[in-house]
Amino acid sequence: MRYLAIIKIAFRALRRNKMRTVLTMLGIIIGVGAVIAMVALGRGAKAQVQARIAALGQNVILVFSGSINRGGVFSGFGGAGTLSVEDAQAIEKEVPGVEAVSPEVRTGGQIMAGNNNWSTEGKGEGVDYLTIRQWDLAQGAMFTEADVRSAAKVCILGKTTADKLFPDEEPVGKVIRIRNVPMTVLGILKPKGVSMMGSDQDDTVIMPYTTAMKRLAGVTMLRAINVQAQTAEQITEVQNGIAELLRQRHRIQPGHDDDFIMRNQQELAETQNAAAETMTALLAGIAGVSLLVGGIGIMNIMLVSVTERTREIGIRMAVGARGRDILLQFLIEAVTLSSIGGLLGIGLGVGGARFLTAFKNWATLVSPDSVFLAFVFSAAVGIFFGFYPARKASQLDPIDALRYE
């Protein structure tokens, strides 16, 4: 019963100065809201990155041609043209744990269809490319192994390219021209969205790699080889097998640099996730400063309250209240301020995250654990910053407190 009376006294004291109570809570409200919104923004970015990494497919290993150095200038990935079709075929046949392989050649240019034209990137790929990328067709069909062997003039279109070239008609079965080479559209891909590099994955034309090599690009070497391992656990083993095979085929002596570069999905995910987590921690740290300032505000107001109520404290002690009762009363006031402020801050943070998603198109993800931690932290701030004023109040001498004017 005594503790219930202490709680009632604490709440009565807070209601006595409503404006001051609200202004004191404001720092906690803003702090908690900022923490939740910023963490949601960071986690939303991380989830977006993970989705884009997943869009590459499952268990994917990317093998790029190495860079070439001409006069001290490096051409970058694919510049050296060190990968051949035979390399891709050897990887598929000789490396254990390989599920699928797609040689890759890239070419670009203006694409025409009737009176419409569009500049986009063309990709020469193998028949397993869509399987590796886990990319489904919205309509039509993929080209076949026979199309690859004969360098057939066929292709499939991404959704963006199809909409630009055929805004008012069905593209499947129609003919487009790439560098004056006519190609029949066999199918349309389902939308895949933006890649992790920020480019539109749906703005593409995919054709047999032999068609791209012989009819468009006029090259004999590959830019890259897409490899899919059978399981995630085999990625490292497959990657090591590919490296050993290519070093042997390219006659690279021990101690010499490879003329190819490999990246796997896990490496890309770890790199991108590390960057996203750093951004989340930075945003949460900045927002946490405002929560700290709110805690300092609670301490300041509680110290003022102790000074203003010194005589009240003296009277309570004179009629039998003990020091720990006074300590508990002021501690309850501080925790109440921070807890109510935390609850209101949760609403502000969730609302702020939804606002960023709805009006700014920023990816946000509010998780229950971040809300719970923000609330617990706000209550902890009340205890931490409220303890000193409460302890100061509990140590007042009753006689001096009664004399205080």
Side-chain angles (χ1 to χ4, degrees):
M1 191 66 182
R2 180 168 59 86
Y3 290 110
L4 184 60
I6 293 171
I7 293 172
K8 288 181 178 178
I9 293 170
F11 274 90
R12 191 183 306 126
L14 291 175
R15 289 198 301 269
R16 192 183 306 150
N17 296 288
K18 294 185 179 65
M19 182 58 70
R20 187 166 71 182
T21 300
V22 171
L23 292 175
T24 304
M25 287 191 299
L26 195 59
I28 297 295
I29 294 171
I30 294 173
V32 171
V35 168
I36 291 176
M38 293 301 100
V39 170
L41 187 61
R43 290 192 171 183
K46 183 178 178 180
Q48 197 171 50
V49 166
Q50 290 173 338
R52 290 173 181 175
I53 293 290
L56 289 174
Q58 280 191 338
N59 313 325
V60 176
I61 300 168
L62 305 176
V63 186
F64 297 96
S65 290
S67 63
I68 186 170
N69 183 354
R70 290 177 178 168
V73 178
F74 285 89
S75 61
F77 288 178
T82 56
L83 297 175
S84 65
V85 175
E86 290 74 18
D87 288 334
Q89 293 170 346
I91 289 171
E92 187 171 19
K93 292 177 182 177
E94 300 179 28
V95 178
V98 171
E99 178 71 19
V101 171
S102 174
E104 180 172 298
V105 178
R106 295 208 178 187
T107 181
Q110 204 74 11
I111 304 175
M112 293 171 287
N115 295 325
N116 299 317
N117 66 87
W118 183 250
S119 179
T120 188
E121 178 186 56
K123 288 183 181 179
E125 300 288 351
V127 294
D128 290 328
Y129 179 70
L130 298 187
T131 301
I132 294 172
R133 291 289 308 275
Q134 293 189 313
W135 204 344
D136 296 327
L137 287 162
Q139 53 183 296
M142 181 63 167
F143 49 79
T144 64
E145 191 64 48
D147 293 327
V148 174
R149 287 196 299 269
S150 63
K153 291 182 282 188
V154 294
C155 65
I156 56 176
L157 302 180
K159 184 68 168 58
T160 300
T161 306
D163 290 343
K164 296 296 182 181
L165 295 176
F166 302 98
D168 302 315
E169 54 184 324
E170 286 295 324
V172 176
K174 299 293 193 301
V175 175
I176 64 173
R177 301 184 71 84
I178 307 175
R179 297 184 184 177
N180 290 324
V181 177
M183 292 195 181
T184 302
V185 178
L186 297 180
I188 307 299
L189 292 163
K190 287 185 177 181
K192 207 169 182 73
V194 180
S195 72
M196 64 179 181
M197 303 304 293
S199 59
D200 184 1
Q201 297 183 90
D202 303 315
D203 189 5
T204 188
V205 178
I206 300 174
M207 64 199 77
Y209 67 88
T210 49
T211 305
M213 294 173 75
K214 296 176 182 179
R215 301 185 186 276
L216 295 177
V219 297
T220 58
M221 305 301 286
L222 303 174
R223 176 188 179 273
I225 302 172
N226 300 283
V227 182
Q228 183 181 39
Q230 292 174 353
T231 64
E233 292 74 22
Q234 291 178 292
I235 286 179
T236 302
E237 179 185 345
V238 171
Q239 189 166 328
N240 291 337
I242 293 171
E244 183 179 349
L245 175 66
L246 291 180
R247 287 181 66 86
Q248 179 184 347
R249 289 182 56 83
H250 297 182
R251 296 182 174 86
I252 299 173
Q253 299 299 319
H256 288 69
D257 293 336
D258 295 337
D259 61 358
F260 56 90
I261 299 106
M262 283 194 290
R263 296 287 184 270
N264 66 51
Q265 208 170 5
Q266 292 175 347
E267 291 173 345
L268 293 173
E270 288 170 2
T271 301
Q272 297 293 329
N273 285 340
E277 286 172 1
T278 300
M279 184 183 73
T280 302
L282 180 62
L283 292 174
I286 294 171
V289 171
S290 60
L291 190 56
L292 184 65
V293 171
I296 294 172
I298 288 178
M299 177 183 281
N300 182 46
I301 293 301
M302 294 304 296
L303 286 171
V304 171
S305 180
V306 169
T307 303
E308 289 180 346
R309 295 157 61 189
T310 300
R311 189 173 180 82
E312 173 195 328
I313 294 168
I315 294 173
R316 288 199 62 208
M317 286 184 168
V319 297
R322 291 172 293 180
R324 64 181 182 182
D325 297 329
I326 303 298
L327 174 69
L328 185 61
Q329 175 190 339
F330 280 88
L331 205 53
I332 288 172
E333 291 183 22
V335 172
T336 300
L337 285 171
S338 61
S339 298
I340 295 176
L343 290 173
L344 295 174
I346 289 171
L348 178 66
V350 173
R354 290 181 177 176
F355 173 84
L356 292 173
T357 300
F359 295 97
K360 295 294 184 179
N361 291 323
W362 292 357
T364 59
L365 179 61
V366 179
S367 58
D369 60 328
S370 65
V371 172
F372 176 75
L373 287 174
F375 176 74
V376 169
F377 191 62
S378 69
V381 164
I383 295 172
F384 181 80
F385 287 100
F387 182 78
Y388 175 72
R391 186 169 180 272
K392 183 179 179 181
S394 68
Q395 292 179 339
L396 287 175
D397 183 85
I399 297 175
D400 293 336
L402 288 169
R403 290 176 180 170
Y404 186 81
E405 295 294 338

